[in-house]
Amino acid sequence: GENVEQHPSTLSVQEGDSAVIKCTYSDSASNYFPWYKQELGKGPQLIIDIRSNVGEKKDQRIAVTLNKTAKHFSLHITETQPEDSAVYFCAASRGGTSYGKLTFGQGTILTVHP
Amino acid sequence: DGGITQSPKYLFRKEGQNVTLSCEQNLNHDAMYWYRQDPGQGLRLIYYSQIVNDFQKGDIAEGYSVSREKKESFPLTVTSAQKNPTAFYLCATTGQDQPLYFGPGTRLTVT
């Protein structure tokens, strides 16, 4: 089955700096890669996703890049703000009818210091 | 949290008791999922259902059971056979070619 590894497990930055979280996956058939943000005691919320026919996707301060050859994808947050502090999860699936059958990474605790 | 309701938010049970977690959605989504989250870990898939009256095991189905009698509802029963039931349980749904959308979760503590 699929295996997703996520690094780093914790990340501490100053407000205004950039933050980068990286994930690798094992299943070459995976073609859908979402990123979720989870605040304490709440369910995860989708912040951005990318499909394998696209190498990069941006949404304001957030971007995701995908390298299918190397089987890795990354989340980039620019101009970080204290409200970006949360746990971030990457995930992978084969898409299609399997959009919801996600394999998740272990999570990254991001702390943005004012 | 929108159209997915999970109740209650916190649930306490004694060891050896079965407990049922509720999940209701008004998004008209066909597919529903149950994930389990343990401290410091990612989410793991327990069961999923892509249509009424049909469901499949996920990666960690042992000790759990589900039913899907209505499109809107997908309850999860944690049985006494589940060895480590204390966890945060998340229900989620997807529509056609739509991303996974999570509910607010139920934190189950078994002592």
Side-chain angles (χ1 to χ4, degrees), chain A residues 86-106:
Chain A
V87 182
Y88 290 80
F89 291 96
C90 63
S93 82
R94 293 186 172 189
T97 57
S98 301
Y99 269 115
K101 290 175 60 183
L102 294 170
T103 301
F104 283 84
Q106 296 85 353

Side-chain angles (χ1 to χ4, degrees), chain B residues 72-94:
Chain B
E72 300 80 17
S73 179
F74 190 40
L76 173 74
T77 297
V78 184
T79 75
S80 57
Q82 168 51 232
K83 295 179 181 177
N84 296 294
T86 294
F88 190 42
Y89 290 89
L90 289 153
C91 178
T93 71
T94 57

Side-chain angles (χ1 to χ4, degrees), chain A residues 32 36 38 97 100-102 105, chain B residues 9 35 37 42 48 50 99-100:
Chain A
Y32 175 64
Y36 286 86
Q38 186 177 31
T97 57
K101 290 175 60 183
L102 294 170
Chain B
K9 188 172 178 64
Y35 281 84
Q37 185 175 26
Y48 64 101
Q50 294 182 316
L100 195 64

Side-chain angles (χ1 to χ4, degrees), chain A residues 53-67:
Chain A
N53 58 345
V54 175
E56 182 176 359
K57 184 177 178 181
K58 276 188 175 182
D59 183 2
Q60 299 182 338
R61 296 185 297 110
I62 293 173
V64 58
T65 58
L66 171 65
N67 184 328

